[in-house]
Amino acid sequence: MGFASGTMTEAMNSLSTSDHASVVSITLFVTLLCACIVIGHLLEENRWMNESITALIIGVGTGVVILLLSGGKSSHLMVFSEDLFFIYLLPPIIFNAGFQVKKKQFFRNFMTITLFGALGTLISFIIISLGAIAFFKKMDVGLAIADYLAIGAIFAATDSVCTLQVLNQDETPLLYSLVFGEGVVNDATSVVLFNAVQNFDLSRFSTRGVFELLGNFIYLFISSTVLGVVAGLLSAYVIKKLYFGRHSTDREVAIMMLMAYLSYMLAELFYLSGILTVFFCGIVMSHYTWHNVTENSRVTTKHTFATLSFVAEIFIFLYVGMDALDIEKWRVVSDSPKTSISVSATLLGLILAGRAAFVFPLSFLSNLTKKSQNEKISFKQQVTIWWAGLMRGAVSMALAYNQFTKAGHTQEKGNALLITSTITVVLFSTVVFGLMTKPLVRFLMPSTDKLTSMISSESLTPKSFIVPLLGDSHDSEAELFAGNGVNSEAREVCRPPSIRSLLTTRTVHYYWRKFDNSFMKQVFGGRGFVPYVPGSPTERSVHNLQEEPKQ
């Protein structure tokens, strides 16, 4: 009995110590997050820095301090988990991206985005995989064929998280739309390829197997998109019919957040692409659901989603910076520094070549389908797109940990070599390429002032019919001219300058707008729908409007 009580006391003490250590780690990590936000704010006007790079540098610096204090045993406060990344950190980032994206610009370039994100990622995957097989076998890295294919999927994933902060949606809307849209589709494609490689039986490789792999990808792409759209429409319908705001705006905010997260988890449950699902759920919610809630809920949800995304981004880059100095992984490869440097340099070279192999040819093909010079991707824009997508980040890290570690640890030399090389590539590409992206965009693209003046000066001319998609996020023709003093008669004068422009504006967008206004918004609400909330300013304004004719 005394032995049992003694053992229980020791267990309780051990548990208490463990809990206290967790509290200390979380406290320090939250403190670092606050420091990243403060320092990032102070560096807001810096043309070189952005929040991602700031978090990485602070993470590396903190890792050095922890490494010294722990006597060289550890450099981070917690063990990296790909589950933590994919289940908790990635959903708010991708959802907010879809929620905030300018829909007209995104869908106008949807074919080009899909071309880059799907076909381009596949080309990059093939080049990186074949290059890894050719070079790494000579270096005697000691990996299986499945590992080489996994490397192709890992490093084919561009860092859409970092790109969101490097490019500005208002300064360079066309570039932002192409690079960001490609990044989302690219991440989804990379994850699908990675899962397919893990489940692919290389011993039964055949042409039929390749077509099955392609068919599986198309199925995942379509079904994930449909699931996101259905989840977004369901949230819009429920909120429109039940009027949660009549009792509490908290319920409206809660149901929007939970429905968005539910769409992601359902996709993971059914082995679909959660990234695509939650992205399109965000687009649908911004178009319908957001307009069905009260004004207070609109402000709250918009800032809540943006805040969650912001904190998740900082968290990811802060941890990646700290994990870069993990002594356990570097100790395994410490006896072969030349091989480690060679592997990292080779991966960087393959990333550069793989991206160039599809950006410029696919841009050329995309330009062949567009007769208007304004719609074509110029060479300077192609260079910017190529450069902005060279960064690798949290998705690559998560996939690498999934493939080459167990619970964040590894003792095999080949696996440790790939993990340390992945860390090196992520740090180098994010810091070096990230630092140079802003100056490159400013050098190649028009300045913000020039772009703004160009749009404003053409806003009332016939030629501006194709410009608004580059400068604002209006969703209807009426809003396009609202506030400019242009009536319906003047709108008829502002016609497209050519038959091609007329056909373009009168096909997909025109008929979708008619269908959206006549059917979709009648069922699911959207812009123009004002929820009736008893006792709200909306009710009072409606009541006053009804009484005006009587006076």
Side-chain angles (χ1 to χ4, degrees):
M1 185 70 179
F3 176 77
S5 61
T7 304
M8 184 175 295
T9 302
E10 291 178 1
M12 291 295 292
N13 291 335
S14 175
L15 183 61
S16 177
T17 304
S18 176
D19 289 342
H20 181 70
S22 299
V23 170
V24 171
S25 299
I26 294 173
T27 302
L28 290 175
F29 211 91
V30 173
T31 304
L32 289 173
L33 287 173
C34 294
C36 289
I37 294 173
V38 172
I39 296 174
H41 171 72
L42 296 176
L43 297 175
E44 183 70 26
E45 301 301 324
N46 191 292
R47 63 176 296 193
W48 300 92
M49 298 293 289
N50 61 63
E51 303 260 333
S52 305
I53 298 173
T54 302
L56 269 177
I57 294 174
I58 292 176
V60 172
T62 306
V64 171
V65 174
I66 297 175
L67 197 63
L68 294 174
L69 294 177
S70 64
K73 294 181 180 179
S74 177
S75 66
H76 43 67
L77 301 171
M78 57 188 74
V79 178
F80 182 86
S81 170
E82 58 270 16
D83 291 336
L84 171 68
F85 172 75
F86 281 109
I87 296 178
Y88 300 110
L89 298 179
L90 191 61
I93 295 172
I94 301 301
F95 174 81
N96 184 65
F99 194 76
Q100 302 287 352
V101 74
K102 295 188 177 181
K103 297 181 287 296
K104 278 189 176 181
Q105 184 70 8
F106 178 82
F107 284 106
R108 179 179 181 130
N109 300 293
F110 186 74
M111 292 306 298
T112 305
I113 288 171
T114 306
L115 197 64
F116 282 173
L119 182 59
T121 303
L122 184 61
I123 294 173
S124 181
F125 161 76
I126 294 172
I127 290 177
I128 294 175
S129 297
L130 294 178
I133 294 173
F135 290 106
F136 290 171
K137 282 191 174 181
K138 296 180 181 179
M139 300 177 189
D140 194 23
V141 175
L143 297 175
I145 295 296
D147 292 329
Y148 291 120
L149 296 178
I151 290 172
I154 290 168
F155 290 100
T158 61
D159 183 23
S160 60
V161 175
C162 191
T163 304
L164 291 177
Q165 296 185 352
V166 172
L167 292 178
N168 186 283
Q169 189 169 209
D170 296 317
E171 292 182 7
T172 54
L174 177 60
L175 280 175
Y176 185 95
S177 175
L178 292 176
V179 175
F180 158 69
E182 179 222 334
V184 175
V185 180
N186 168 276
D187 286 345
T189 306
S190 299
V191 174
V192 170
L193 281 173
F194 182 80
N195 293 332
V197 166
Q198 288 188 318
N199 300 325
F200 191 63
D201 188 1
L202 294 172
S203 62
R204 298 181 179 179
F205 180 80
S206 63
T207 305
R208 181 181 177 182
V210 173
F211 281 107
E212 288 180 355
L213 182 64
L214 181 61
N216 184 45
F217 168 74
I218 295 174
Y219 161 75
L220 287 174
F221 189 93
I222 295 176
S223 55
S224 300
T225 302
V226 170
L227 178 60
V229 172
V230 170
L233 292 176
L234 180 61
S235 68
Y237 185 80
V238 168
I239 290 179
K240 179 175 180 290
K241 289 297 181 182
L242 298 183
Y243 296 131
F244 289 97
R246 74 176 62 180
H247 299 299
S248 171
T249 58
D250 297 340
R251 295 176 184 176
E252 289 183 320
V253 176
I255 198 69
M256 282 188 69
M257 295 177 63
L258 292 175
M259 286 291 288
Y261 190 64
L262 179 63
S263 70
Y264 183 88
M265 295 310 299
L266 284 175
E268 295 297 315
L269 179 65
F270 295 116
Y271 301 100
L272 303 177
S273 172
I275 295 176
L276 273 178
T277 297
V278 78
F279 175 72
F280 281 99
C281 180
I283 291 179
V284 173
M285 277 193 171
S286 70
H287 190 65
Y288 297 108
T289 313
W290 191 73
H291 297 282
N292 296 345
V293 300
T294 58
E295 189 65 31
N296 289 337
S297 296
R298 292 178 191 177
V299 175
T300 303
T301 51
K302 185 174 182 179
H303 290 289
T304 299
F305 293 143
T307 302
L308 290 174
S309 173
F310 176 75
V311 173
E313 291 174 12
I314 299 300
F315 184 99
I316 291 171
F317 284 101
L318 180 63
Y319 186 86
V320 169
M322 295 172 64
D323 195 62
L325 299 176
D326 185 11
I327 197 66
E328 176 193 333
K329 304 178 184 68
W330 290 103
R331 186 182 290 119
V332 177
V333 298
S334 60
D335 59 338
S336 55
K338 291 184 178 179
T339 304
S340 181
I341 295 173
S342 299
V343 169
S344 300
T346 301
L347 288 173
L348 279 171
L350 291 174
I351 290 171
L352 291 167
R355 185 155 183 83
F358 77 83
V359 168
F360 298 105
L362 293 185
S363 297
F364 175 76
L365 292 177
S366 177
N367 289 340
L368 290 178
T369 64
K370 300 174 182 177
K371 294 183 179 180
S372 174
Q373 194 65 31
N374 294 325
E375 296 177 348
K376 293 184 178 181
I377 307 172
S378 66
F379 180 73
K380 290 183 178 181
Q381 290 174 329
Q382 293 175 33
V383 172
T384 306
I385 293 170
W386 169 74
W387 183 269
L390 292 176
M391 289 169 285
R392 298 296 180 268
V395 174
S396 296
M397 286 286 296
L399 294 179
Y401 272 90
N402 194 328
Q403 178 70 19
F404 299 112
T405 68
K406 293 182 179 179
H409 301 282
T410 182
Q411 294 296 330
E412 297 182 15
K413 185 174 181 179
N415 291 349
L417 188 63
L418 263 299
I419 289 293
T420 54
S421 298
T422 302
I423 293 172
T424 303
V425 169
V426 168
L427 282 176
F428 183 87
S429 62
T430 302
V431 175
V432 177
F433 296 159
L435 283 173
M436 298 180 66
T437 300
K438 279 187 178 180
L440 184 68
V441 171
R442 289 173 185 258
F443 175 74
L444 294 176
M445 299 292 108
S447 63
T448 308
D449 297 334
K450 183 177 178 181
L451 183 63
T452 304
S453 63
M454 179 180 67
I455 294 174
S456 61
S457 65
E458 297 182 357
S459 58
L460 298 179
T461 63
K463 292 183 180 180
S464 68
F465 203 93
I466 58 176
V467 173
L469 299 179
L470 305 178
D472 51 48
S473 57
H474 296 301
D475 282 339
S476 69
E477 232 179 297
E479 289 177 40
L480 176 61
F481 295 92
N484 291 332
V486 182
N487 55 27
S488 58
E489 293 179 359
R491 239 180 295 160
E492 295 178 2
V493 178
C494 296
R495 294 188 178 93
S498 66
I499 299 230
R500 176 176 174 78
S501 297
L502 177 63
L503 292 175
T504 302
T505 55
R506 287 286 179 176
T507 53
V508 178
H509 291 290
Y510 176 76
Y511 290 109
W512 159 250
R513 187 62 59 198
K514 288 187 65 176
F515 174 74
D516 189 33
N517 291 331
S518 61
F519 176 75
M520 296 295 289
K521 287 184 179 179
Q522 301 299 322
V523 178
F524 300 105
R527 188 184 296 274
F529 174 78
V530 181
Y532 179 80
V533 181
S536 69
T538 301
E539 183 204 18
R540 290 193 294 270
S541 62
V542 172
H543 180 70
N544 293 335
L545 287 174
Q546 291 174 345
E547 289 186 348
E548 278 183 5
K550 299 178 182 180
Q551 296 177 355

